[in-house]
Amino acid sequence: MTHIETFLLERPNLRFVFTGGKGGVGKTVAAAVLAYRFAQEGKKTLIASLNPVHSLSSVFDQDLRGGRIRPVQKAPNLFAVEVEASDVVERYRVNIAQRVREFLKYADIPVDSRPFVDIAVTNPAFEESAMFDKMVDIILKEGQDFERLVFDTAAVANAVRLIGLSKIYGLWLQRMIQSRKEALSLRVQLSFRKERIMEEVKKDPLLADLLGMHERFTAVKKILVDPEQTAFFFVTLPLTLPISVVTRFIKMVRAYDIPVGGVIVNGVIRGEEAERAANDEYLQNQFQEQAGYLKMIQEQLGPLVRTYLPLYHSEIHGLDMVRHACEDMFQPDQEWALALTRV
Ligand SMILES: Nc1ncnc2c1ncn2[C@@H]1O[C@H](COP(=O)(O)OP(=O)(O)O)[C@@H](O)[C@H]1O
Ligand SMILES: [Mg+2]
């Protein structure tokens, strides 16, 4: 196993870090700990939560709500933002409504645009697309000032699919542009130079929009598939379901050439903890079962495991706990956990 510290040292140009995995496994905690660590190393770091329900405020035990980038108190170099889904969705809705209206006008279709807009925004994927769009904004614009960006988003799988789609999308767009060009009258084609033809094509607001989107996608995709700049970390607990989710995610991410940072195994009961609680039947059972799952992780994901985090007595709440978890995550000797995979 390559330890997380070594992995990071080998990637000095890393800028974008994502955490993925099943709900409740510790993605937010892992993201917070990584961001805290980067900031401690002196790197100006932004942690962005793009979840419908946020938990950064709880992890750092301070109010980080409101959708603005804010400094995390008592953690130099660390900034955080909890993106408000409702704001993003509303802005996106207005934007789309305007696009649809413009297009209908341009295409000379005299119908009410509202039903079209309603269909677009009631699509269940709408909120996710809006959040993805916001993430792209942070990567390409708002995040420019930061040396490292850590994204806490439940929608890793969807982000990956959208990135995958951008290839098909690009091909389709090329065809659209071609047919647009061909549709321009011969007069226009003869009287304009090549650059001007493209400008004419762009007068179609829908096509101009698609082109703009495609440019953004291409830019963000280039970043997200670059192993120097980007790493996706997957978090699992020593339990069947989270392990299979991570295994599936890793396959998918690799199919799209997205760089896998590795696996963080969270919530491992320490051997000494189990010894101390000899009469705690529940814990003893958990500890017994954990051994099998740790072995499973070792077999399925072994070389990708970057670090183990112990199960704490309470949830991670407040900077002291984050600091403590950070020390555990970056502890070079992981023998306490590795020993458990061998029993
Ligand atoms: N190692 C751990 N020990 C104790 N509690 C933990 C640990 N890791 C996470 N938690 C707690 O479990 C809950 C879920 O963690 P969270 O990071 O929010 O999961 P996710 O973001 O994957 O849904 C939180 O209350 C968190 O504080
Ligand atoms: Mg979370």
Side-chain angles (χ1 to χ4, degrees):
M1 111 181 208
T2 305
H3 188 262
I4 190 145
E5 171 111 71
T6 315
F7 178 88
L8 292 169
L9 281 173
E10 285 168 358
R11 281 161 192 78
N13 298 324
L14 189 71
R15 276 200 73 213
F16 305 98
V17 168
F18 293 79
T19 56
K22 199 182 166 302
V25 294
K27 294 183 294 292
T28 300
V29 164
V33 169
L34 285 168
Y36 179 81
R37 168 77 183 196
F38 300 150
Q40 249 193 344
E41 288 171 350
K43 299 181 176 76
K44 191 176 173 192
T45 302
L46 175 67
I47 179 166
S49 168
L50 294 159
N51 296 306
V53 180
H54 300 292
S55 44
L56 288 184
S57 289
S58 161
V59 172
F60 290 114
D61 190 24
Q62 47 191 279
D63 188 3
L64 298 166
R65 291 172 305 171
R68 282 180 297 114
I69 294 177
R70 295 180 175 206
V72 176
Q73 300 306 316
K74 303 211 175 90
N77 306 318
L78 185 56
F79 296 78
V81 58
E82 288 190 338
V83 174
E84 289 297 336
S86 53
D87 289 359
V88 174
V89 165
E90 181 51 26
R91 236 171 292 142
Y92 207 58
R93 197 187 65 78
V94 170
N95 207 328
I96 287 203
Q98 193 191 339
R99 285 173 181 179
V100 171
R101 266 199 308 276
E102 258 175 41
F103 174 71
L104 292 175
K105 208 171 119 203
Y106 171 85
D108 223 355
I109 307 172
V111 293
D112 185 4
S113 66
R114 269 171 301 181
F116 295 97
V117 177
D118 288 345
I119 291 168
V121 303
T122 46
N123 181 328
F126 186 72
E127 183 174 315
E128 232 153 62
S129 313
M131 284 302 240
F132 182 76
D133 212 57
K134 179 70 193 180
M135 186 189 90
V136 173
D137 256 356
I138 294 176
I139 292 177
L140 299 176
K141 290 189 216 134
E142 290 157 55
Q144 285 298 331
D145 280 358
F146 295 91
E147 218 176 320
R148 288 245 164 115
L149 289 99
V150 181
F151 289 97
D152 175 27
T153 163
V156 165
N158 293 293
V160 170
R161 277 191 211 105
L162 280 169
I163 291 160
L165 272 180
S166 75
K167 188 170 170 187
I168 301 167
Y169 193 75
L171 291 172
W172 173 69
L173 203 60
Q174 272 170 18
R175 291 282 302 273
M176 292 262 295
I177 293 166
Q178 199 49 43
S179 70
R180 271 282 153 196
K181 281 184 182 166
E182 283 162 11
L184 287 173
S185 72
L186 198 60
R187 184 192 60 79
V188 172
Q189 293 210 33
L190 289 175
S191 60
F192 291 151
R193 274 178 296 150
K194 254 200 179 126
E195 316 78 88
R196 282 298 303 280
I197 291 179
M198 199 55 199
E199 269 170 38
E200 279 302 298
V201 168
K202 280 186 182 166
K203 280 188 185 158
D204 174 347
L206 189 68
L207 206 59
D209 249 16
L210 290 173
L211 279 168
M213 259 161 74
H214 184 59
E215 269 166 30
R216 270 159 61 82
F217 261 44
T218 312
V220 86
K221 189 188 163 184
K222 206 172 139 210
I223 289 172
L224 293 184
V225 299
D226 179 2
E228 295 253 318
Q229 288 189 74
T230 300
F232 278 64
F233 288 95
F234 294 97
V235 185
T236 189
L237 298 171
L239 288 171
T240 315
L241 241 65
I243 297 172
S244 68
V245 166
V246 163
T247 309
R248 195 160 47 84
F249 268 168
I250 288 177
K251 253 193 216 133
M252 187 170 88
V253 156
R254 282 190 165 151
Y256 289 118
D257 297 324
I258 290 171
V260 175
V263 174
I264 295 167
V265 185
N266 186 25
V268 180
I269 303 166
R270 290 177 180 273
E272 57 193 53
E273 194 74 38
E275 270 172 39
R276 221 179 299 146
N279 296 322
D280 184 338
E281 204 176 321
Y282 178 72
L283 191 92
Q284 294 304 323
N285 282 335
Q286 295 265 89
F287 187 66
Q288 292 293 327
E289 276 182 26
Q290 169 182 286
Y293 294 126
L294 286 174
K295 240 176 243 161
M296 191 192 268
I297 292 171
Q298 199 55 38
E299 280 159 18
Q300 293 185 15
L301 305 160
L304 282 175
V305 174
R306 298 281 170 258
T307 188
Y308 293 87
L309 263 182
L311 178 69
Y312 300 107
H313 289 279
S314 69
E315 47 179 40
I316 286 82
H317 184 68
L319 270 179
D320 284 343
M321 276 293 283
V322 172
R323 188 177 308 114
H324 186 68
C326 187
E327 278 159 20
D328 284 336
M329 186 187 275
F330 283 87
Q331 190 193 67
D333 178 14
Q334 300 266 311
E335 186 52 31
W336 70 271
L338 288 170
L340 296 172
T341 69
R342 291 190 290 261
V343 291

